Amino acid sequence: MNKNIAIDGPAGAGKSTIAKRVAKEKQLIYVDTGAMYRAMGIYFSRLGIDPSDAAAIAENVGGADISIDYEDGAQQVILNGENVTGLLRTEEAGNMASKVSSHGPVREKMVELQQKLGREKAVVMDGRDIGTVVLPDALLKIYLTASVEVRAGRRYKELVEKGEACDLEEIKKDIAARDHADMTREISPLRQAEDAVLVDSSDMNIEEVVETIIGLYEEAQL
Ligand code: DC
């Protein structure tokens, strides 16, 4: 039986934190698809390719060999033989990923890899098009969101805790711009699948969101 969970939603909604927790509790493999697009962004940025240059992107996408591996249960992203996991979680990598992910040839390649993972393993996969395109038959689909203010506030706190200098207003602007780009692109824009359950975490803590999703998953398995 298909045991997969698809979690989609905008930047900073807490998808990866929640998905990791759900994966651990329900013994599923966590697949962070944003990390794959981030690695793709690094690949093009190292080649000096402008992320809006569709022809150059199409011409060079074949040279990016991206795969994932697990170390102590944590996803590692391998780009042409190099483990780039440590380079992925910056705002710059996120913005670059958002830009390169709007191109059809990039999406085709990533979707193929993600679908293969979803067939071979029972996964919790998070991203933007998981319920709509990658795993349309997932047992449970969640659209996880929160207000821009709440998402920006969480990101701000995370960066401050890491000791990184940041500005709340800048983060808010950045998140709103990325939402806009991800929701309005032509191919596979971020949207809630018709059969996805909307979870707005603006007034919920992590525990409450995890419990809600696990409850829905157990119901779906009956
Ligand atoms: O979830 P994230 O912030 O790591 O994702 C980075 C960018 O990658 C996001 O702004 C859009 C793109 N992305 C996508 O287009 N499709 C996905 N399934 C996951 C991410």
Short mmCIF file of all heavy atoms in Angstrom, two decimals, residues 11 15 32-35 37-38 89 94 97-98 101 107 114 126-130 178 182 185, ligand 1:
data_model
loop_
_atom_site.label_atom_id
_atom_site.label_comp_id
_atom_site.label_asym_id
_atom_site.label_seq_id
_atom_site.Cartn_x
_atom_site.Cartn_y
_atom_site.Cartn_z
N ALA A 11 7.83 29.12 1.68
CA ALA A 11 9.11 29.17 2.39
C ALA A 11 8.89 29.53 3.86
O ALA A 11 8.11 30.43 4.18
CB ALA A 11 10.01 30.21 1.73
N LYS A 15 8.06 23.29 7.09
CA LYS A 15 7.88 21.98 6.46
C LYS A 15 8.96 20.97 6.86
O LYS A 15 8.65 19.85 7.22
CB LYS A 15 7.87 22.10 4.92
CG LYS A 15 6.75 22.95 4.36
CD LYS A 15 6.74 22.92 2.84
CE LYS A 15 7.99 23.52 2.20
NZ LYS A 15 8.19 24.96 2.44
N ASP A 32 13.81 15.92 1.40
CA ASP A 32 13.74 17.37 1.32
C ASP A 32 14.03 17.77 -0.14
O ASP A 32 15.18 17.81 -0.55
CB ASP A 32 14.80 17.94 2.28
CG ASP A 32 14.97 19.44 2.18
OD1 ASP A 32 14.29 20.07 1.36
OD2 ASP A 32 15.81 19.97 2.93
N THR A 33 12.96 18.03 -0.91
CA THR A 33 13.18 18.32 -2.34
C THR A 33 13.74 19.72 -2.57
O THR A 33 14.40 19.96 -3.56
CB THR A 33 11.89 18.15 -3.17
OG1 THR A 33 10.93 19.13 -2.74
CG2 THR A 33 11.30 16.76 -3.03
N GLY A 34 13.49 20.62 -1.62
CA GLY A 34 14.06 21.97 -1.74
C GLY A 34 15.58 21.89 -1.77
O GLY A 34 16.25 22.64 -2.50
N ALA A 35 16.14 20.96 -0.99
CA ALA A 35 17.59 20.80 -0.94
C ALA A 35 18.14 20.40 -2.32
O ALA A 35 19.24 20.80 -2.70
CB ALA A 35 17.97 19.77 0.11
N TYR A 37 16.81 21.29 -5.25
CA TYR A 37 16.81 22.50 -6.09
C TYR A 37 17.91 23.47 -5.64
O TYR A 37 18.49 24.19 -6.45
CB TYR A 37 15.43 23.19 -6.07
CG TYR A 37 14.41 22.41 -6.86
CD1 TYR A 37 13.51 21.56 -6.22
CD2 TYR A 37 14.36 22.50 -8.25
CE1 TYR A 37 12.58 20.82 -6.94
CE2 TYR A 37 13.43 21.78 -8.97
CZ TYR A 37 12.55 20.93 -8.32
OH TYR A 37 11.64 20.20 -9.04
N ARG A 38 18.19 23.47 -4.34
CA ARG A 38 19.29 24.32 -3.84
C ARG A 38 20.63 23.84 -4.41
O ARG A 38 21.47 24.66 -4.81
CB ARG A 38 19.31 24.30 -2.31
CG ARG A 38 18.19 25.12 -1.70
CD ARG A 38 18.06 24.91 -0.20
NE ARG A 38 16.91 25.62 0.32
CZ ARG A 38 16.97 26.75 1.04
NH1 ARG A 38 18.13 27.26 1.38
NH2 ARG A 38 15.86 27.34 1.45
N ARG A 89 21.76 25.71 3.19
CA ARG A 89 20.75 26.40 3.99
C ARG A 89 20.94 27.92 4.10
O ARG A 89 20.59 28.51 5.10
CB ARG A 89 20.65 25.80 5.40
CG ARG A 89 20.17 24.37 5.50
CD ARG A 89 18.86 24.01 4.84
NE ARG A 89 17.78 24.95 5.09
CZ ARG A 89 16.61 24.91 4.45
NH1 ARG A 89 16.38 23.99 3.54
NH2 ARG A 89 15.70 25.79 4.72
N GLY A 94 18.68 29.63 -1.26
CA GLY A 94 17.22 29.53 -1.39
C GLY A 94 16.71 30.37 -2.55
O GLY A 94 15.86 29.93 -3.33
N ALA A 97 17.80 28.80 -5.80
CA ALA A 97 16.98 27.61 -6.06
C ALA A 97 15.63 28.01 -6.62
O ALA A 97 15.13 27.40 -7.56
CB ALA A 97 16.80 26.82 -4.76
N SER A 98 15.03 29.04 -6.04
CA SER A 98 13.72 29.49 -6.49
C SER A 98 13.80 29.88 -7.97
O SER A 98 12.91 29.56 -8.76
CB SER A 98 13.28 30.67 -5.62
OG SER A 98 12.04 31.14 -6.07
N SER A 101 14.55 26.77 -10.31
CA SER A 101 13.47 25.78 -10.29
C SER A 101 12.30 26.15 -11.19
O SER A 101 11.38 25.37 -11.36
CB SER A 101 12.96 25.58 -8.85
OG SER A 101 12.25 26.72 -8.43
N ARG A 107 13.09 21.03 -13.62
CA ARG A 107 12.00 20.36 -12.91
C ARG A 107 11.84 18.91 -13.37
O ARG A 107 11.65 18.01 -12.58
CB ARG A 107 10.68 21.11 -13.09
CG ARG A 107 10.69 22.53 -12.58
CD ARG A 107 9.31 22.99 -12.14
NE ARG A 107 8.92 22.34 -10.90
CZ ARG A 107 9.30 22.74 -9.68
NH1 ARG A 107 10.07 23.78 -9.53
NH2 ARG A 107 8.91 22.08 -8.61
N GLN A 114 12.72 12.31 -7.78
CA GLN A 114 11.83 12.30 -6.60
C GLN A 114 10.78 11.20 -6.72
O GLN A 114 10.46 10.52 -5.74
CB GLN A 114 11.18 13.68 -6.43
CG GLN A 114 12.18 14.75 -6.03
CD GLN A 114 11.78 16.15 -6.47
OE1 GLN A 114 10.67 16.39 -6.92
NE2 GLN A 114 12.69 17.10 -6.33
N ASP A 126 8.81 16.80 1.23
CA ASP A 126 8.29 18.16 1.28
C ASP A 126 8.84 19.01 0.14
O ASP A 126 9.89 18.72 -0.42
CB ASP A 126 8.51 18.80 2.66
CG ASP A 126 9.93 19.30 2.89
OD1 ASP A 126 10.81 18.99 2.08
OD2 ASP A 126 10.13 20.01 3.89
N GLY A 127 8.06 20.02 -0.26
CA GLY A 127 8.45 20.88 -1.37
C GLY A 127 7.34 21.84 -1.75
O GLY A 127 6.66 22.40 -0.87
N ARG A 128 7.17 22.03 -3.07
CA ARG A 128 6.15 22.96 -3.56
C ARG A 128 5.12 22.25 -4.45
O ARG A 128 4.00 22.70 -4.58
CB ARG A 128 6.80 24.08 -4.39
CG ARG A 128 7.87 24.89 -3.68
CD ARG A 128 7.28 25.72 -2.57
NE ARG A 128 8.26 26.62 -1.95
CZ ARG A 128 9.26 26.24 -1.16
NH1 ARG A 128 9.43 24.97 -0.88
NH2 ARG A 128 10.08 27.14 -0.63
N ASP A 129 5.56 21.16 -5.11
CA ASP A 129 4.70 20.49 -6.11
C ASP A 129 4.57 19.00 -5.79
O ASP A 129 4.34 18.20 -6.69
CB ASP A 129 5.33 20.65 -7.50
CG ASP A 129 6.73 20.04 -7.56
OD1 ASP A 129 7.35 19.84 -6.49
OD2 ASP A 129 7.21 19.74 -8.68
N ILE A 130 4.74 18.63 -4.55
CA ILE A 130 4.75 17.20 -4.23
C ILE A 130 3.34 16.61 -4.36
O ILE A 130 3.15 15.59 -5.03
CB ILE A 130 5.34 16.94 -2.81
CG1 ILE A 130 6.69 17.68 -2.65
CG2 ILE A 130 5.51 15.43 -2.58
CD1 ILE A 130 7.72 17.39 -3.71
N ARG A 178 9.80 35.50 -2.53
CA ARG A 178 9.96 34.08 -2.91
C ARG A 178 8.58 33.41 -3.05
O ARG A 178 8.36 32.65 -3.98
CB ARG A 178 10.84 33.36 -1.89
CG ARG A 178 11.27 32.00 -2.35
CD ARG A 178 12.75 31.81 -2.26
NE ARG A 178 13.22 31.62 -0.91
CZ ARG A 178 13.25 30.44 -0.28
NH1 ARG A 178 12.79 29.36 -0.88
NH2 ARG A 178 13.75 30.34 0.92
N ASP A 182 7.38 31.61 -6.45
CA ASP A 182 7.03 30.18 -6.43
C ASP A 182 5.56 29.94 -6.80
O ASP A 182 5.21 28.91 -7.38
CB ASP A 182 7.33 29.56 -5.06
CG ASP A 182 8.82 29.52 -4.73
OD1 ASP A 182 9.64 29.72 -5.66
OD2 ASP A 182 9.18 29.32 -3.55
N ARG A 185 4.98 31.12 -11.00
CA ARG A 185 5.75 30.59 -12.13
C ARG A 185 4.82 29.73 -12.99
O ARG A 185 3.81 29.20 -12.50
CB ARG A 185 6.97 29.80 -11.64
CG ARG A 185 6.61 28.51 -10.96
CD ARG A 185 7.84 27.72 -10.55
NE ARG A 185 7.42 26.56 -9.82
CZ ARG A 185 7.99 26.11 -8.72
NH1 ARG A 185 9.03 26.74 -8.22
NH2 ARG A 185 7.54 25.04 -8.12
O1 DC B 1 11.92 24.55 0.50
P1 DC B 1 13.15 25.36 0.13
O2 DC B 1 13.13 26.75 0.69
O3 DC B 1 14.42 24.63 0.45
O4 DC B 1 13.10 25.47 -1.47
C1 DC B 1 13.98 26.30 -2.20
C2 DC B 1 13.34 26.69 -3.53
O5 DC B 1 13.30 25.54 -4.39
C3 DC B 1 11.92 27.19 -3.45
O6 DC B 1 11.86 28.60 -3.29
C4 DC B 1 11.31 26.75 -4.76
C5 DC B 1 12.10 25.55 -5.16
N1 DC B 1 11.38 24.29 -4.96
C6 DC B 1 10.52 23.89 -5.95
O7 DC B 1 10.34 24.61 -6.93
N2 DC B 1 9.89 22.70 -5.86
C7 DC B 1 10.05 21.90 -4.80
N3 DC B 1 9.43 20.72 -4.75
C8 DC B 1 10.91 22.31 -3.74
C9 DC B 1 11.55 23.53 -3.84
#
